């Protein structure tokens, strides 16, 4: 009887140790690989306002979304056509390699960048650039549940910059005569302080590259409470009074400006579409390089607590 008890005790202890050993193996399982993580969502929205650090990674600073597809990096750099370009993925902007939670990107314009990748939660990843101590946070979506409309209307400021000029094509018959009736073209400039505009009184039908700009100033786009689809546009002329409008988007190439003070409605159509491509701008080309458009954070930059953690 005593011998049996000893044997049972030995067997029980062996079973417990075997069980514990099995649990350790489960805990050490690395789980999802970096390739599986990057491919787990079709689109990664670059939440530019969550960026931490004082540095700049150009291709992320101008992308609204990026996608990782079999070693090829895709990006939606334009608001015009978002959701349609490249079946929603955008355009091919480079290649990537991933290993040991490190992402190496070979961008066609910006060159090589390397990142440490951290999974924040099931839908968010952090790309930490050890070369400039800056982290970008990306939110994952599938194309079927990504709100392209929200991204479009939340970035109207950049939409206005994606044409060389906006030509007035319609003025309502109703409304009081006012000075803005004489303005036939508007241009919203990318780069610099990201809020410059110019206007021209040249005749309709002109090539945007041949326009003579009569006035300059600063512009601002604002939200309308309770209506995501309606915006405000203020043109602050350098030497004249401001002009205030209600801005509505008719389609990717046409906008309506309603002038409340005169009760006049205008329509403007985009001329000279600027597509932010993977190739540098050449003379006479309407594509743009990375220096032209950089998305700006809406809050002050702060230091990154990671402080170059890569060994």
């Amino acid at each position: 009887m005593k011998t049996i008890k000893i044997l049972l005790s030995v067997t029980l202890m062996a079973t417990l140790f075997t069980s514990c050993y099995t649990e350790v193996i489960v805990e050490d399982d690395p789980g999802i690989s970096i390739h599986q993580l990057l491919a787990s969502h079709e689109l990664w929205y670059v939440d530019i306002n969550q960026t931490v650090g004082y540095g700049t990674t150009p291709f992320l600073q101008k992308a609204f979304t990026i996608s990782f597809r079999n070693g090829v990096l895709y990006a939606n750099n334009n608001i015009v056509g978002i959701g349609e370009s490249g079946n929603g993925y955008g355009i091919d902007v480079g290649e990537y390699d991933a290993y040991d939670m490190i992402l190496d990107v070979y961008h066609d314009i910006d060159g090589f960048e390397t990142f440490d990748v951290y999974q924040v939660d099931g839908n968010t990843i952090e790309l930490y650039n050890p070369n400039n101590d800056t982290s970008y946070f990306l939110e994952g979506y599938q194309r079927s549940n990504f709100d392209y409309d929200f991204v479009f209307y939340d970035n109207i400021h950049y939409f206005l910059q994606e044409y060389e000029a906006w030509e007035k094509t319609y003025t309502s018959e109703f409304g009081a005569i006012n000075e803005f009736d004489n303005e036939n073209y508007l241009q919203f400039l990318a780069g610099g302080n990201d809020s410059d505009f110019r206007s021209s009184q040249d005749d309709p039908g002109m090539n945007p590259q041949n326009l003579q700009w009569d006035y300059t100033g600063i512009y601002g786009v604002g939200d309308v409470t309770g209506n995501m689809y309606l915006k405000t546009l203020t043109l602050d002329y350098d030497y004249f009074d401001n002009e205030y409008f209600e801005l509505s988007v008719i389609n990717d190439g046409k906008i309506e400006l309603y002038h409340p003070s005169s009760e006049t409605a205008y329509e403007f159509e985009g001329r000279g579409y600027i597509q932010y491509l993977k190739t540098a701008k050449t003379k006479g080309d309407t594509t743009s390089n990375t220096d032209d458009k950089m998305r700006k954070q809406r809050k002050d930059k702060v230091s990154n607590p990671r402080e170059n953690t890569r060994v």
Side-chain angles (χ1 to χ4, degrees), residues 7-37:
L7 288 174
L8 287 173
S9 298
V10 171
T11 303
L12 180 59
M13 291 176 66
T15 302
L16 288 173
F17 281 119
T18 302
S19 176
C20 292
Y21 180 72
T22 302
E23 289 178 359
V24 170
I25 292 176
V26 172
E27 289 174 358
D28 287 345
D29 185 353
I32 189 170
S33 71
I34 185 171
H35 286 284
Q36 292 172 322
L37 177 61

Side-chain angles (χ1 to χ4, degrees), residues 99-267:
Y99 53 93
D100 299 330
M101 299 308 287
I102 293 176
L103 171 68
D104 290 339
V105 172
Y106 307 87
H107 193 269
D108 291 336
I109 289 181
D110 301 326
F112 175 76
E113 295 283 1
T114 186
F115 304 89
D116 295 333
V117 181
Y118 299 92
Q119 184 174 10
V120 179
D121 56 40
N123 297 309
T124 309
I125 59 175
E126 174 188 351
L127 299 186
Y128 170 69
N129 189 333
N131 295 319
N132 57 25
D133 280 332
T134 300
S135 292
Y136 288 82
F137 292 85
L138 281 56
E139 298 174 2
Y141 297 88
Q142 307 306 332
R143 287 175 296 166
S144 60
N145 66 6
F146 186 67
D147 194 341
Y148 290 100
D149 283 345
F150 172 79
V151 176
F152 185 98
Y153 282 95
D154 195 44
N155 292 278
I156 292 295
H157 188 89
Y158 298 107
F159 166 64
L160 296 176
Q161 298 175 0
E162 292 183 3
Y163 289 95
E164 292 186 8
W166 290 87
E167 179 182 353
K168 184 191 294 178
T169 56
Y170 168 81
T171 301
S172 63
E173 294 183 1
F174 57 85
I177 295 174
N178 67 92
E179 292 185 358
F180 192 76
D181 287 340
N182 300 318
E183 305 295 305
N184 290 323
Y185 296 91
L186 292 172
Q187 183 184 60
F188 303 92
L189 301 173
N193 61 15
D194 211 31
S195 59
D196 291 329
F197 83 93
R198 302 193 290 189
S199 67
S200 172
Q201 296 183 357
D202 282 351
D203 294 333
M206 296 278 290
N207 184 316
Q209 297 182 358
N210 297 328
L211 292 171
Q212 299 295 316
W213 299 104
D214 301 300
Y215 305 107
T216 60
I218 303 296
Y219 77 98
V221 176
D223 295 326
V224 174
T225 303
N227 189 343
M228 182 183 79
Y229 303 102
L230 183 64
K231 301 291 181 178
T232 64
L233 173 66
T234 302
L235 303 180
D236 183 1
Y237 285 86
D238 287 342
Y239 302 105
F240 302 96
D241 293 334
N242 295 355
E243 295 283 11
Y244 174 85
F245 304 91
E246 292 178 355
L247 166 64
S248 302
V249 177
I250 298 174
N251 56 44
D252 274 5
K254 182 185 291 187
I255 59 175
E256 179 185 281
L257 298 182
Y258 175 69
H259 193 239
S261 64
S262 68
E263 298 183 338
T264 305
Y266 306 95
E267 289 183 4

Side-chain angles (χ1 to χ4, degrees), residues 12-82:
L12 180 59
M13 291 176 66
T15 302
L16 288 173
F17 281 119
T18 302
S19 176
C20 292
Y21 180 72
T22 302
E23 289 178 359
V24 170
I25 292 176
V26 172
E27 289 174 358
D28 287 345
D29 185 353
I32 189 170
S33 71
I34 185 171
H35 286 284
Q36 292 172 322
L37 177 61
L38 296 176
S40 63
H41 295 84
E42 293 180 317
L43 297 173
W44 292 98
Y45 176 67
V46 184
D47 191 351
I48 204 72
N49 294 310
Q50 298 303 315
T51 304
V52 178
Y54 297 105
T56 297
T57 304
F59 83 90
L60 287 174
Q61 202 74 33
K62 73 174 183 174
F64 296 99
T65 71
I66 60 174
S67 300
F68 303 93
R69 304 188 66 201
N70 301 317
V72 179
L73 180 69
Y74 292 83
N76 274 301
N77 294 332
N78 280 82
I79 287 297
V80 174
I82 192 168

Side-chain angles (χ1 to χ4, degrees), residues 279-294:
T279 54
K281 188 173 182 178
T282 59
K283 186 176 181 180
D285 191 7
T286 59
T287 61
S288 178
N289 60 30
T290 56
D291 294 331
D292 291 333
K293 178 184 75 86
M294 290 283 187

